[in-house]
Amino acid sequence: MSFENIYKDKKVLITGHTGFKGSWLAIWLKELGADVYGYALAPYSDMDNFVICKLEEQINHRVGDVRNWEELTAYFKEVQPDFAFHLAAQPLVLLSYHDPLNTFNTNLMGTVNFWEAVRATPSVKVAVNVTTDKCYDNKEWVWGYRENDPMGGKDPYSASKGCSELITTAYLESFFKLEGTCNIASARAGNVIGGGDWAADRIIPDYFRAYKNNQKLEIRNPFATRPWQHVLEPLSGYLALGAELYQKGKGFSGGWNFGPEDMTHYSVKNLIDELLKLDQQGGYTIPENLEKPHEAILLKLDISKAIEFLKWKPVLNFKETVAFTLDGYKDDIHKQVHVYEARLKQIKDYTNKAKLRNLKWAL
């Protein structure tokens, strides 16, 4: 066990548990001994992590839409969870250009409905809203954004996540600091990669789709720099944050960044080149004069707050991050073992590395 056994025998409700990060979080929480409940839209494809891991057989699964306040609140009241993690979202930048209405409805009103459901359910002691590094007003500085930097966003997705953060702050200041025993926070992560993500218009899923089909990937923003991290990195941060909120209370409320250390930010081209070093299949092309919607070139997070107060820090270096990711996708594609068991092995390997580095949450 880890996280001081905080989650053992607790009821944990995850919105968005059929998504990439939500499904990994459900697996880890189940391994920690939690009674896991999920509320989300149905999976998008039969390659989604939720499906290939057969999670419907492992946790309590409810299909629902976070835009429906009545159904979401009714589910909270039915479950009576101790913890709630909000991961349900429209998570794609390019899709937000094509469908801004659904993006804003889901990412704004879904957040409002989540906090209203938490307020209506006194059993909830800890609730965390998971957003993104793109919630910040990105001026493409060379230094990382801190938790007290302004929210913003030039594209609908980023703006919607900045709004989700503002909504969370409003609920914290207007309600949760004043009433009840629930302690709340928001968590902002970098560009998360790992097996089980097959979403459209994301660089790693696009690479492995090309990989499966013996094609070369077309890279649209080769020199865009991102805080790449394996999915287990931010999840360990969310779980560490939830444990501190449960044990120590409102002093851990507010926003928290979870990303790689400052010297481990790499470009899209660096990322794909590292994959090719580890597995000499596939390849890529860089088209000239490609017209595309705006995406930031440089984005970094400052994780000093999490390091100082949560005693959390990344476990994997860049090469390990890419290796974990490659192994996860090979498990997806070849299915030589039960994928759920392969996910558990990666969690165990990751936790063992954290123990060797004396990280508080893993001891």
Side-chain angles (χ1 to χ4, degrees):
M1 284 292 176
S2 49
F3 306 101
E4 302 183 55
N5 291 343
I6 292 295
Y7 296 99
K8 183 174 174 57
D9 299 324
K10 300 293 196 309
K11 290 184 178 180
V12 183
L13 192 154
I14 304 169
T15 68
H17 69 290
T18 57
F20 170 47
K21 283 200 291 185
S23 57
W24 271 95
L25 181 60
I27 293 169
W28 200 344
L29 280 164
K30 186 174 186 300
E31 183 68 4
L32 292 172
D35 191 6
V36 182
Y37 294 79
Y39 181 94
L41 298 175
Y44 287 107
S45 78
D46 61 5
M47 285 297 293
D48 285 0
N49 194 50
F50 179 86
V51 177
I52 61 176
C53 290
K54 301 180 181 179
L55 262 183
E56 190 170 357
E57 301 171 7
Q58 302 286 339
I59 66 169
N60 303 284
H61 166 58
R62 178 72 59 90
V63 173
D65 192 327
V66 292
R67 292 172 294 183
N68 188 320
W69 171 77
E70 291 85 357
E71 287 188 4
L72 179 61
T73 301
Y75 190 58
F76 265 77
K77 290 181 175 180
E78 175 187 332
V79 172
Q80 293 289 302
D82 302 287
F83 291 82
F85 290 89
H86 180 49
L87 286 87
Q90 191 298 92
L92 302 173
V93 173
L94 292 185
L95 180 57
S96 77
Y97 282 104
H98 299 296
D99 191 3
L101 181 61
N102 179 58
T103 298
F104 283 112
N105 276 341
T106 301
N107 295 352
L108 273 69
M109 290 311 301
T111 302
V112 171
N113 292 341
F114 173 77
W115 291 125
E116 284 296 309
V118 170
R119 289 183 68 208
T121 313
S123 66
V124 183
K125 299 299 184 291
V126 169
V128 177
N129 178 28
V130 173
T131 65
T132 173
D133 55 350
K134 297 173 184 64
C135 66
Y136 291 105
D137 181 13
N138 187 6
K139 302 182 186 302
E140 305 202 35
W141 290 327
V142 296
W143 53 84
Y145 290 92
R146 293 182 176 179
E147 286 84 352
N148 57 357
D149 282 326
M151 298 294 103
K154 294 181 176 64
D155 59 88
Y157 169 74
S158 301
S160 74
K161 285 301 193 174
C163 290
S164 179
E165 287 283 354
L166 294 174
I167 290 165
T168 299
T169 298
Y171 271 84
L172 173 62
E173 297 295 334
S174 299
F175 305 110
F176 290 104
K177 279 188 176 180
L178 306 173
E179 62 186 44
T181 59
C182 183
N183 301 312
I184 79 166
S186 66
R188 306 154 188 175
N191 281 55
V192 178
I193 58 178
D197 181 12
W198 292 94
D201 297 318
R202 281 181 177 162
I203 186 65
I204 291 296
D206 286 349
Y207 173 84
F208 281 101
R209 270 188 286 271
Y211 177 104
K212 281 177 62 180
N213 297 320
N214 295 313
Q215 298 173 346
K216 288 187 176 182
L217 170 68
E218 186 177 276
I219 302 178
R220 63 178 182 267
N221 283 312
F223 303 109
T225 298
R226 294 288 184 270
W228 309 106
Q229 54 185 162
H230 188 267
V231 62
L232 295 177
E233 302 275 39
L235 295 190
S236 69
Y238 306 161
L239 292 168
L241 175 59
E244 292 297 318
L245 285 165
Y246 188 84
Q247 290 182 304
K248 298 177 182 176
K250 290 179 168 49
F252 286 83
S253 294
W256 297 82
N257 288 341
F258 299 101
E261 296 186 88
D262 187 56
M263 298 307 294
T264 54
H265 291 69
Y266 292 85
S267 72
V268 169
K269 185 176 182 300
N270 294 149
L271 180 67
I272 301 304
D273 284 341
E274 187 62 32
L275 276 169
L276 291 171
K277 285 181 188 177
L278 294 173
D279 190 85
Q280 290 79 33
Q281 295 188 47
Y284 62 85
T285 61
I286 303 174
E288 295 181 4
N289 303 318
L290 179 67
E291 291 188 13
K292 53 188 179 294
H294 173 269
E295 290 187 79
I297 296 299
L298 181 63
L299 181 57
K300 298 171 74 174
L301 292 177
D302 185 321
I303 59 171
S304 302
K305 181 181 175 184
I307 291 173
E308 177 68 22
F309 296 105
L310 289 178
K311 308 304 178 187
W312 175 92
K313 65 169 56 178
V315 172
L316 306 175
N317 62 34
F318 182 63
K319 289 186 177 182
E320 290 171 325
T321 295
V322 176
F324 264 57
T325 299
L326 177 62
D327 288 345
Y329 276 97
K330 284 186 172 181
D331 292 330
D332 292 1
I333 293 167
H334 302 304
K335 297 180 182 176
Q336 293 174 339
V337 297
H338 192 307
V339 180
Y340 185 89
E341 297 301 322
R343 300 296 193 245
L344 291 181
K345 182 180 183 303
Q346 282 209 321
I347 290 170
K348 182 178 180 180
D349 291 346
Y350 176 81
T351 302
N352 286 338
K353 286 179 179 291
K355 287 178 180 177
L356 290 174
R357 295 171 191 182
N358 292 314
L359 295 188
K360 176 184 173 183
W361 64 262
L363 300 176

